[in-house]
Structures are given as C-alpha cells and as structure tokens.
Amino acid sequence: MLYIFKGLPALFAKYKKPSSILTLALLVELAFETLLPVSFKIVVDYAILPQNFRLLIIILGALLLGAAAAAGMGILRDRTYAAVGPSVMRDIHEKLFRHIQGMSMEFFSRRGAGDLLARFNSDLSSVDGFVMMLPYVLLSFLGLFLNVVVLFALQWQLALIAVIGLPLCLIGPKLFGKRAYDANYELKEEQASITTAIQENLGAQTVVKAFGLESRMNDRFAESMNRYVRKASRSHFFSFLVDRTTNLGTVVLNLIAICIGSLLAFDGHLSIGSLLAFSTILLTLSNLVAAVTWIVPQMMQASAGMERIDEILSERPSVTDAPNASPLPPLSESVEFRGVTFGYTEGRANLSEIDLRIPYGSYAAFVGASGSGKSTIINLLMRFYDPREGSVLYDGVDIAAVAQQSLRSQISIVFQDNFLFNVSLRENIRLGNPEATDEDIERAARAAEIHDFILTLPEGYDTLAGERGGRLSGGQRQRIGIARAMVRNPRLLILDEATSALDPSTEDAVNRTILNLARTTTIVSITHRLASAEHADRIFVLDKGRLAEQGTHPELLAANGKYAEAWEKQSGFSFSDDGIHAVIQPAKLKKVPLFEAVELAFLEEIAPLFVTESYPTGKTIIQEGDPGDKFYIIVRGKVEVTKDVDGRSAQLAVLSDGDFFGEIALLRDVARTATITALTPTMFITLSRESFRHIVDKEPDLQRILSEARG
C-alpha cells in the first residue's frame, strides 16, 4: 500500500521552491486546524472565567486572523500544487514514454501495445488521481495523529453536537462548479488526444526505429504534454476552489459557533460545559477517520499502478550500443551474413547457419514460405535483434560494434502495410528525413511515381493522410512509403512484402518503380510472391530457417528445386487489365489431384466457370460447420485455417498463393470442417458445385473419371 510513496520524493525533488511553499502552507493549515480546538481551553481559562473582555476580543481576533492566514495559505497551496502536480505527472509520462522509445523490438513483441497502453491509461490514471490529492492525504493523516494527541492532552469530557448549515457549504460549488466542469471536460479531451498519439506511436514503432524518429517523437510528445499541463492546471485549480470554498463554509460555521458561544458564556447565558460542548475536535476526528477510510483504497490503486509502471521502467533493451561503438562509414562494398543462427525463443532457431553475401548496388530477394525466416532477415539487417551465433557485417564491419543510429541512418524500409500518420502527405514523406526540403520531398515523390497524383488533390502535399493513411488506396500508401524511404537517400533499401497486399495491376506498377530504384541503391526484397523476385540479381530461397537455394531466376528454375516448385504453384493465372478479375489456365487445373486424370478439353470448358472473389484482411471466408458448395483456389494472398478444439481455435495451416481447398464440395454436400480467415487481402477463384455439376452431368466419361478420383 505504501509503494506509491517510494518514488514521490525523487519526483518532487526537482521542484524545490514550490515544494517549500507547499510544505509551509501545509504546516500553517495543519497548525490552525489542530490549534483551533485548543482555543476553547484558552478562551475559557484565560478570558471567560476571569471575565477579561479585552483578552477575549484579542483571542477572537487572533482566531479570525489565523483563519484568514490559513485560508490564504490554503489557496496559495492550491494554486502552487495545481501547477506542480500536473508537472510531476508530466515527468512520469515522459519518463515512461522515453523509456519505451529506447526499448528494443523484442520488448514490443513480448509486451504488446494493449499492455503498454494500460500502463498509460489505467495505471497512470490511478497514480495521477492520488498525486493530485496528495496534500489532502498528508493533511488527513497528520491531522488525525495530531488531533488524537490533543484529545488525550485535553481530556475531553463532552463531544460536540453540531448542525452544519448546508447552504453555506454549497456556495463554492454554485460559484465555481460550472467552470470546474468545463475545465475538466477540456482536460479529458486533451487526455484522449494524448492517448491517441501514444497508440499511434506504439503501432508505428517499426517505422520509428527504421527511420530513427525517436527524438522527433519525444519532442512531439513533450509538446502535447505541455498542453496537458496548462489545461490540467486550470481544471485542478477550479476543482480545488470548489473544495476549498466548501471547507471554508465549514470553518466559518465553527468560528461563528465559537464566537457566539463565548459571548453567551461570558454573559452567563451558557455554562462552561455547554461551551466545551461546542468543541469540534471529535467531529474533526470523525471527519478525518472518514477521509482516511476513503483515501486508503485510492492509495492501494495508485501503489499497484506505480508498481506496474516501475516494472516497465526497470526493463532494459536487449539490443544496446557497445561502450566503444563507432559510427558506421557509408556502405560501399557488401552486406554479409556469416554463420548466423538466431531464434526469438530459447530452444528454437528461426535461422540456422546462414552464410550469404549481397554486393553493394545489387538487387537481392529473399523468398520462402511463411515461417521460413524471411522477416527475421530484416530484423537482423536492421539490428532489431542480435544473432545468437555468427555476425552480420556491413563492408566487413560487425554491426554489433557500431552505433545503432548510424547503422539505421543508411537504411530505408518499405513495409507490407506502410503506417502513415494523420498528418500531411508532405510530413509523412519528410519522416524519412526530417532535414529534407520541400524540393527533396517532391523529388522522392517523383521517384516513387506518386507526385502527379498528389498534385491532383485539392490541398496537394498538405492533404492529411487520415488515420493510418485511410484516405489513400493501398497502392497510394505504398508509393508514399517508397517516397518516405527514398527521401532518406539510403545506401540500403529493404522491401518487406511491399507488394503482397496490392492488386495485380498496382503490384506491377510498384514493381516497375522498384526496378528503377535498383539502379541507384542496394535493394533487399523480402517476399513470398515470386513474381516480385523474378528480376532480382540474386534470389535466396529460405526453407525452415535454412538457406536452401540461391541464384538468378533462370538458374533456380533450371535447378528444379524448391524455387521451381513454388514458381509452378504460383503461376498459371492471368488477370484483367484492371487487375480485378483472375482467370485460371486449364493446365493449372491439372495440378489439382481431383482433375489430374481429366482431359484438357474438359478443363478448358470448366476454367471459364471459375468466379473471382476478393476478401479484406480479417474477413471470415468459411465458418466451420457451414454447408460446402464451392471449391477455392488462392490466386494471391494468405489465409489461416483453424478448427475448434475444446472451445478454442487451433491453427491447422496457413495457405497462400496457389493453394486450394474445398474440392470435395464439388462432389457431394458436406459441412465445412474448418474455418478459413483472410490474413491479408486475398483474391480467390471459386467454382460452385451447381456450375460444376452442370458440366459433369452432360459428360458421362467425366463422371466416371471423377468417381474414380474420389474413390
């Protein structure tokens, strides 16, 4: 429960002057609130009983002056803490944010964005609530202790029964309630804006790391937090005024009771016992006990939140610069993997004994099935992770010995789904090189063949991209991503499945753009679609984490190995000019076991019956238990096959270009045995059982062949 207090002294240490003012104000308030009950003894013993009216007036005057001083110091405390409290929370926010910016990619894959957002939202929110009520906490605990001491010292015999005038206590909420509400509403909006910025940043960590945007992101976040401080200061001050004026009403009532009771006792209209009954110490104690009872749950929540925050702050990046790390000279010779073995978890290798060399200025492509290690190649090239064994070298220099920023300053990357921030297209491109001029940005946009399109927009380069680039098509986002990569003037350009989510016509256009770029920089392309690798100078074929084959496209086809097998699987389709419709070649159908024995003439009749269907990422194509009435062939894209096992979804397989499923649905009415979900935008060609039976029923020989194939 007391964990929250461990780090608070250090957080307030940098605010020495305001902390001193706060301490003084708290002492004045505490002294007045504690000595107020003692004043009854002084009044009775030294003024009322001796009938010393002059002294009585002096004592009452001193009490009024003390109340005024305490109220003034209280408002000073509120004003000071209204600024200091949000500043302390800003420091915690920035400390956590900067710490996360410095973490390695392993941290983000392990923690997840949702977990990290919870630290900023629920955890920091509970800490924020407690920090802002800290003066109240201190007054309550210290006041409880001191009043208990006074109670025993005075030997109280009578407890006060007091009636509080509620209208007097409601003056504060009436005067400042609306302002406090409006200020709090503005604060909530700013908090929502900050949460959105954090979520966007966490989702874009690959872009941030690849383009070295940590410092820029930190500065942008600091600006947001400064706006938060201003709005939070105003909101908390008005909230404090509501509470302050309510308390003032209570204090005034007590002063009135003491003054009137003392005058009545002096004139003999009220007994000494009755005067003592007006003492508020028991009421004060009861209020303090109630306050502490309310504070403890808040303290527990804040302590748990602070502990979870410290849990993140205690983590250290898995990839760090060596103490003597030096800048990496401009890449000019080659990139090499020497005996590289790597695994994300102990006991499992995602890459095993990789040896390869990519000459500077060449176009290299890495291909292979899902899970073969393609993405791991990128992670090691960018030094998001370090090899378990072996080394990655740029111009013969182990990148573990150079500064990460100098390494990544020479690299640009185009992702499968390029993350665009909700700022202008100009600023999205400039993120690749914050020092780029407008001319540099337009030059990069021309190289990416997106400049002419941008000029057609009403606001041109100042057009907002929308959340995650939602105002642009997939192809346009890819070209903005390419422009962002090129404005960096990279020595090495990495393409991470850069065309896999595009339609065929857009993919061809982007591939032509990439081939043009290959003349000016080294390109490493990671792709499962072999059409994108066909023109590479060197193709590396990965299989289960090992380098299975390497060579040019003709050499690998001639070798008749895994590459040739994959090429045959993915080929056999043609597309309409707009890339929306696909057609399967009859020879491709003969690769399906069901049609192996069918004459080509029959397949030529069946091929036109296939219909093109397209599904976005995340779309469920088939639900387990649905009636089966279609045969599916994947033209392009990737799907996940899952099955319900004891109430849980278990993955059976991941299928991609050229794979097929559901052929049994052409022969008989059976329920689907698995669920199929699109992992990427996916295009199918499908053949319905109704269309298929229409052909088969007219061909007795075909019926016989299919019956034999089914048997």
Side-chain angles (χ1 to χ4, degrees):
M1 184 176 72
L2 298 179
Y3 191 93
I4 184 65
F5 290 106
K6 289 177 61 176
L8 288 182
L11 292 171
F12 281 89
K14 63 182 293 187
Y15 303 101
K16 293 181 180 179
K17 182 177 179 180
S19 295
S20 299
I21 295 174
L22 289 169
T23 302
L24 177 61
L26 284 172
L27 290 175
V28 171
E29 287 186 90
L30 190 61
F32 177 77
E33 292 177 4
T34 303
L35 293 176
L36 183 59
V38 181
S39 66
F40 295 121
K41 178 176 177 60
I42 299 174
V43 168
V44 170
D45 291 345
Y46 299 101
I48 297 177
L49 291 180
Q51 293 290 292
N52 190 335
F53 183 75
R54 182 173 178 275
L55 181 59
L56 176 63
I57 296 300
I58 292 174
I59 294 172
L60 295 179
L63 287 174
L64 292 173
L65 289 175
M73 293 300 289
I75 293 176
L76 175 62
R77 184 257 290 179
D78 290 345
R79 176 69 269 182
T80 303
Y81 201 71
V84 173
S87 296
V88 169
M89 289 309 303
R90 175 195 60 195
D91 295 342
I92 300 176
H93 274 80
E94 289 190 359
K95 183 179 181 181
L96 182 59
F97 190 85
R98 289 178 183 276
H99 185 78
I100 288 175
Q101 296 299 302
M103 295 304 292
S104 305
M105 292 304 297
E106 173 272 336
F107 169 84
F108 296 97
S109 62
R110 173 167 48 84
R111 284 290 181 182
D115 176 59
L116 296 176
L117 280 175
R119 315 286 169 145
F120 281 96
N121 291 336
S122 59
D123 296 332
L124 274 178
S125 178
S126 63
V127 174
D128 188 7
F130 183 79
V131 167
M132 295 316 302
M133 60 184 273
L134 188 58
Y136 179 70
V137 173
L138 295 175
L139 282 174
S140 298
F141 278 98
L142 293 175
L144 181 62
F145 173 76
L146 291 176
N147 276 279
V148 168
V149 172
V150 172
L151 180 64
F152 280 96
L154 295 177
Q155 297 182 356
W156 284 89
Q157 299 177 359
L158 183 65
L160 172 69
I161 299 176
V163 178
I164 305 299
L166 290 178
L168 188 60
C169 298
L170 295 176
I171 292 177
K174 180 68 176 178
L175 291 175
F176 303 109
K178 181 65 167 61
R179 294 183 183 180
Y181 175 85
D182 293 341
N184 186 63
Y185 184 84
E186 293 179 6
L187 176 61
K188 293 295 183 185
E189 287 190 323
E190 187 61 32
Q191 288 173 332
S193 176
I194 290 172
T195 300
T196 300
I198 293 169
Q199 185 173 12
E200 184 178 57
N201 178 273
L202 293 176
Q205 271 302 309
T206 312
V207 176
V208 172
K209 289 287 187 294
F211 293 98
L213 300 173
E214 290 90 342
S215 178
R216 188 177 180 86
M217 293 295 115
N218 287 333
D219 291 343
R220 183 178 294 176
F221 187 74
E223 292 175 3
S224 298
M225 291 309 301
N226 285 333
R227 289 195 301 272
Y228 162 80
V229 167
R230 291 192 294 270
K231 293 184 178 181
S233 178
R234 183 171 184 270
S235 172
H236 291 309
F237 179 61
F238 280 117
S239 296
F240 286 145
L241 278 179
V242 171
D243 183 63
R244 170 64 52 192
T245 50
T246 302
N247 291 337
L248 281 175
T250 303
V251 171
V252 169
L253 284 174
N254 278 276
L255 287 174
I256 292 173
I258 292 173
C259 292
I260 295 176
S262 299
L263 291 172
L264 291 174
F266 184 82
D267 290 334
H269 299 298
L270 192 66
S271 68
I272 295 176
S274 297
L275 179 60
L276 292 176
F278 278 95
S279 173
T280 59
I281 192 165
L282 290 180
L283 179 60
T284 301
L285 282 174
S286 64
N287 289 337
L288 289 173
V289 170
V292 170
T293 302
W294 178 78
I295 287 169
V296 168
Q298 317 298 321
M299 188 184 303
M300 293 177 65
Q301 292 181 18
S303 292
M306 198 69 207
E307 188 170 4
R308 280 170 51 82
I309 293 166
D310 284 346
E311 180 183 311
I312 298 296
L313 294 174
S314 66
E315 294 209 29
R316 294 293 175 262
S318 57
V319 176
T320 58
D321 287 342
N324 57 346
S326 58
L328 179 69
L331 179 66
S332 60
E333 297 177 7
S334 66
V335 175
E336 296 180 68
F337 279 57
R338 290 185 187 174
V340 170
T341 295
F342 172 78
Y344 295 100
T345 58
E346 290 295 330
R348 183 175 184 273
N350 296 82
L351 290 177
S352 298
E353 301 175 359
I354 301 296
D355 288 289
L356 59 88
R357 182 176 183 274
I358 303 171
Y360 177 74
S362 64
Y363 179 11
F366 288 83
V367 302
S370 295
S372 61
K374 302 188 302 297
S375 296
T376 305
I377 292 289
I378 292 179
N379 288 334
L380 296 180
L381 283 173
M382 299 288 298
R383 208 191 164 207
F384 290 160
Y385 297 84
D386 284 331
R388 187 181 300 167
E389 298 176 14
S391 54
V392 180
L393 303 102
Y394 283 52
D395 291 347
V397 178
D398 190 338
I399 60 174
V402 303
Q404 293 179 66
Q405 284 297 336
S406 69
L407 167 69
R408 292 171 188 159
S409 67
Q410 301 190 38
I411 305 173
S412 277
I413 186 167
V414 181
F415 301 99
Q416 176 179 350
D417 181 16
N418 278 287
F419 190 102
L420 299 187
F421 294 88
N422 191 20
V423 295
S424 69
L425 299 182
R426 186 191 314 277
E427 289 306 307
N428 267 292
I429 296 174
R430 182 176 276 125
L431 288 175
N433 178 9
E435 304 302 321
T437 64
D438 288 349
E439 290 74 19
D440 295 331
I441 290 170
E442 292 185 13
R443 191 179 304 113
R446 287 192 179 92
E449 300 182 22
I450 192 66
H451 173 75
D452 292 340
F453 164 75
I454 293 176
L455 293 184
T456 65
L457 299 173
E459 297 180 73
Y461 279 86
D462 294 322
T463 302
L464 293 178
E467 186 174 354
R468 300 185 68 90
R471 295 185 179 180
L472 305 177
S473 69
Q476 291 160 356
R477 286 196 299 272
Q478 289 302 85
R479 292 187 181 279
I480 294 293
I482 292 173
R484 179 168 61 193
M486 293 310 299
V487 79
R488 198 173 178 82
N489 296 317
R491 309 294 288 179
L492 172 63
L493 174 62
I494 298 175
L495 308 172
D496 181 12
E497 297 280 10
T499 62
S500 63
L502 305 179
D503 61 76
S505 60
T506 304
E507 179 186 31
D508 289 342
V510 171
N511 279 335
R512 287 194 299 271
T513 299
I514 291 171
L515 287 174
N516 290 333
L517 299 177
R519 301 167 185 166
T520 59
T521 188
T522 304
I523 291 183
V524 172
S525 175
I526 308 296
T527 181
H528 76 278
R529 187 162 296 149
L530 303 188
S532 297
E534 181 179 359
H535 301 291
D537 299 316
R538 198 75 176 169
I539 301 172
F540 298 96
V541 183
L542 296 173
D543 180 47
K544 298 178 181 178
R546 294 186 176 274
L547 185 57
E549 301 170 355
Q550 60 176 297
T552 63
H553 175 72
E555 291 171 348
L556 293 173
L557 288 182
N560 201 30
K562 292 186 176 297
Y563 181 87
E565 179 183 340
W567 178 265
E568 183 178 353
K569 173 186 169 185
Q570 294 185 16
S571 58
F573 302 100
S574 57
F575 300 93
S576 60
D577 291 339
D578 58 10
I580 297 177
H581 301 287
V583 178
I584 190 169
Q585 299 170 6
K588 177 74 174 179
L589 280 177
K590 285 191 74 69
K591 304 298 181 182
V592 179
L594 181 64
F595 300 129
E596 282 181 337
V598 177
E599 293 291 335
L600 197 60
F602 290 144
L603 296 180
E604 289 175 350
E605 191 173 356
I606 293 172
L609 301 179
F610 279 84
V611 176
T612 303
E613 296 183 16
S614 297
Y615 297 88
T617 300
K619 179 70 174 179
T620 298
I621 300 144
I622 291 175
Q623 186 68 47
E624 183 178 354
D626 287 349
D629 60 353
K630 286 181 185 178
F631 169 50
Y632 291 80
I633 300 178
I634 302 175
V635 179
R636 55 193 302 128
K638 191 180 298 184
V639 301
E640 179 184 40
V641 184
T642 59
K643 187 174 181 64
D644 184 80
V645 179
D646 298 328
R648 295 184 178 182
S649 180
Q651 186 186 79
L652 301 181
V654 174
L655 307 179
S656 58
D657 302 30
D659 288 322
F660 52 85
F661 54 89
E663 62 266 36
I664 193 68
L666 298 177
L667 304 177
R668 60 175 182 265
D669 186 8
V670 293
R672 299 295 189 185
T673 59
T675 297
I676 310 293
T677 307
L679 295 177
T680 66
T682 306
M683 176 186 288
F684 297 93
I685 53 171
T686 65
L687 178 62
S688 69
R689 183 169 62 246
E690 182 180 357
S691 298
F692 180 68
R693 295 306 306 178
H694 181 71
I695 297 294
V696 171
D697 289 344
K698 296 189 299 183
E699 302 288 349
D701 291 341
L702 185 57
Q703 292 185 45
R704 176 182 53 79
I705 292 171
L706 292 175
S707 297
E708 293 174 355
R710 181 178 60 184

